[in-house]
């Protein structure tokens, strides 16, 4: 029994009404698929032997779109699928955007943003090219762009929104130059 | 990773490239496939799908092409060779799976893209005028 068969076996043990359609590849080292349906609620599992499991549960995926979520092993994938099927939940495609791109989407130049944060334009440039930044810096920048920063942690059993402590330090206005 | 924002003329709109929804990009992919002369064999049909979708995504998004990992980047990817599934009753047709779709390609170059529940989204005969299931 390979890992996707093990995963499906686990789910069949948890849901007696689960309908499963396996779509195996011609070459066993290729990509395996399984379509699940529990009382009308669908989920799709993708298994890449070298990478792990992709999990999706949404009706609006278009041709060529990848899986919404990925899990490294049978245990984490089966926990997530259990939650999706039991709670009739839907997955969402991942969305990521770089800070520089977000600023441009909001039609703001580096100079505009620097003025709002009361820092020099060069500090914004450094921030946008920096591989790692303080959360307080990112939060100040997002607020200057007109948004609100949310921090979320994703676990196999769900997604948690993290509390953000109130920053007492008034250096928030100069945050983009921190960590030089 | 640093992105450069481009603005794209799409129909009567000028929009930032990352704001073009997947459904619109897919529509453009099908439009270009329809406008292309039919393929004459499996290889040219497979390459036609691959090159047309990659061309659309390169033009209408800023997302770099990286099919080797999980494809979580929001780009649309053509079927990959390692996702070929068995179709034992149809020796002249090869089937490739992506998330919720099958791409069926016949030896005469005919193409059909259908959902896994069997609903046909797009199809085109090969250059002999025959459809996928007529070969």
């Amino acid at each position: 029994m390979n890992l996707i068969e093990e995963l499906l076996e686990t789910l069949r043990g948890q849901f007696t009404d689960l309908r499963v359609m396996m779509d195996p590849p011609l070459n066993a080292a290729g990509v395996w698929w399984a379509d699940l349906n529990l009382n009308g609620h669908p989920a799709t599992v993708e298994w890449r032997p070298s990478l792990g499991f992709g999990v999706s549960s949404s009706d609006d995926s278009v041709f060529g779109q990848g899986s919404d979520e990925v899990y490294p092993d049978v245990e984490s994938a089966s926990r997530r699928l259990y939650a999706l099927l039991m709670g009739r939940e839907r997955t969402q495609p991942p969305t990521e955007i770089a800070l520089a791109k977000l600023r441009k989407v909001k039609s703001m130049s580096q100079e505009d943003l620097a003025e709002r944060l009361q820092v020099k334009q060069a500090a914004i440039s450094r921030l946008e090219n920096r591989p790692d930044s303080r959360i307080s810096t990112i939060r100040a920048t997002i607020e200057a762009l007109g948004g609100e920063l949310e921090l979320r942690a994703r676990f196999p059993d769900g997604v948690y929104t993290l509390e953000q402590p109130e920053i007492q330090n008034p250096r928030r206005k100069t945050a983009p130059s921190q960590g030089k | 990773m640093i992105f450069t924002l481009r603005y794209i003329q799409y129909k009567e709109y000028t929009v930032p490239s990352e704001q073009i929804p997947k459904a619109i990009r897919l529509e453009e992919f099908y439009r270009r496939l329809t406008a292309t002369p039919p393929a004459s064999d499996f290889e040219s049909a497979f390459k036609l799908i691959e090159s047309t979708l990659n061309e659309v995504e390169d033009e209408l998004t800023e997302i770099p092409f990286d099919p080797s990992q999980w494809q979580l980047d929001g780009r649309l990817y053509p079927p990959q060779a390692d996702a070929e599934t068995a179709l034992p009753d149809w020796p002249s047709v090869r089937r490739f799976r992506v998330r919720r779709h099958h791409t069926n390609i016949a030896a005469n170059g005919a193409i059909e893209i259908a959902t896994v529940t069997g609903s046909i989204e797009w199809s085109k005969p090969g250059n002999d005028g025959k459809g996928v299931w007529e070969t």
Side-chain angles (χ1 to χ4, degrees):
Chain A
M1 186 184 289
N2 67 28
L3 292 182
I4 192 168
E5 289 165 341
E6 196 180 310
L7 170 69
L8 298 175
E9 193 66 21
T10 303
L11 292 166
R12 282 195 189 99
Q14 292 168 328
F15 301 105
T16 50
D17 293 339
L18 184 67
R19 285 192 289 128
V20 177
M21 289 277 287
M22 180 84 101
D23 210 354
L26 272 184
N27 178 344
V31 185
W32 293 64
W33 295 90
D35 298 296
L36 315 181
N37 193 300
L38 181 68
N39 304 321
H41 190 76
T44 303
V45 183
E46 174 183 7
W47 179 51
R48 294 177 179 243
S50 60
L51 293 173
F53 294 92
V55 170
S56 309
S57 177
S58 61
D59 289 329
D60 56 354
S61 78
V62 303
F63 174 79
Q65 189 175 334
S67 291
D68 286 342
E69 300 176 1
V70 295
Y71 296 92
D73 50 40
V74 171
E75 192 187 349
S76 56
S78 67
R79 254 187 277 149
R80 180 58 177 146
L81 282 160
Y82 179 86
L84 285 170
L85 293 167
M86 192 70 180
R88 303 184 74 79
E89 288 175 38
R90 300 289 185 180
T91 53
Q92 295 289 328
T95 50
E96 285 181 10
I97 189 165
L99 210 49
K101 194 172 181 180
L102 180 60
R103 174 178 55 73
K104 289 172 186 170
V105 168
K106 296 295 168 192
S107 305
M108 205 178 284
S109 66
Q110 285 189 341
E111 289 77 11
D112 295 335
L113 184 57
E115 193 180 326
R116 286 199 185 185
L117 288 162
Q118 299 178 8
V119 297
K120 292 185 176 168
Q121 176 268 329
I124 302 296
S125 176
R126 282 196 299 274
L127 170 69
E128 290 180 347
N129 290 286
R130 193 178 290 156
D132 194 13
S133 299
R134 292 175 66 167
I135 290 172
S136 57
T137 303
I138 296 170
R139 185 167 79 172
T141 308
I142 295 299
E143 287 174 359
L145 290 169
E148 188 181 341
L149 184 69
E150 281 185 6
L151 292 178
R152 293 184 180 191
R154 185 185 296 279
F155 290 86
D157 65 341
V159 177
Y160 300 85
T161 301
L162 299 181
E163 282 181 9
Q164 295 180 65
E166 200 53 45
I167 308 277
Q168 299 298 323
N169 188 338
R171 285 190 65 200
R172 266 182 65 190
K173 282 185 176 176
T174 59
S177 62
Q178 290 172 3
K180 280 187 277 187
Chain B
M1 187 177 297
I2 308 301
F3 291 90
T4 309
L5 186 75
R6 281 191 305 151
Y7 283 81
I8 284 169
Q9 190 69 36
Y10 182 76
K11 295 186 177 173
E12 68 269 37
Y13 308 108
T14 303
V15 294
S17 54
E18 81 283 355
Q19 289 181 8
I20 299 176
K22 291 186 182 86
I24 301 290
R25 283 145 47 199
L26 183 69
E27 185 186 313
E28 177 63 11
F29 165 63
Y30 287 150
R31 189 193 67 74
R32 291 188 194 189
L33 274 185
T34 303
T36 309
S40 55
D41 53 27
F42 165 79
E43 283 77 17
S44 57
F46 189 84
K47 277 184 191 151
L48 177 67
I49 295 166
E50 191 174 52
S51 61
T52 307
L53 187 53
N54 290 343
E55 189 182 274
V56 168
E57 292 297 274
D58 284 344
E59 285 177 28
L60 300 188
T61 79
E62 295 292 333
I63 307 164
F65 178 71
D66 180 16
S68 61
Q69 295 297 311
W70 272 113
Q71 303 172 4
L72 294 169
D73 50 13
R75 186 177 166 116
L76 302 180
Y77 285 93
Q80 306 294 306
D82 64 356
E84 181 169 3
T85 64
L87 206 54
D89 296 335
W90 293 89
S92 63
V93 181
R94 293 173 69 178
R95 168 173 280 182
F96 298 83
R97 171 80 189 243
V98 289
R99 180 166 150 184
R100 295 288 295 162
H101 293 80
H102 284 132
T103 302
N104 301 306
I105 305 175
N108 69 341
I111 303 167
E112 178 190 270
I113 296 174
T115 65
V116 290
T117 53
S119 167
I120 298 169
E121 271 195 11
W122 183 89
S123 66
K124 181 170 183 145
N127 76 345
D128 61 0
K130 292 183 178 174
V132 166
W133 309 112
E134 296 170 318
T135 54

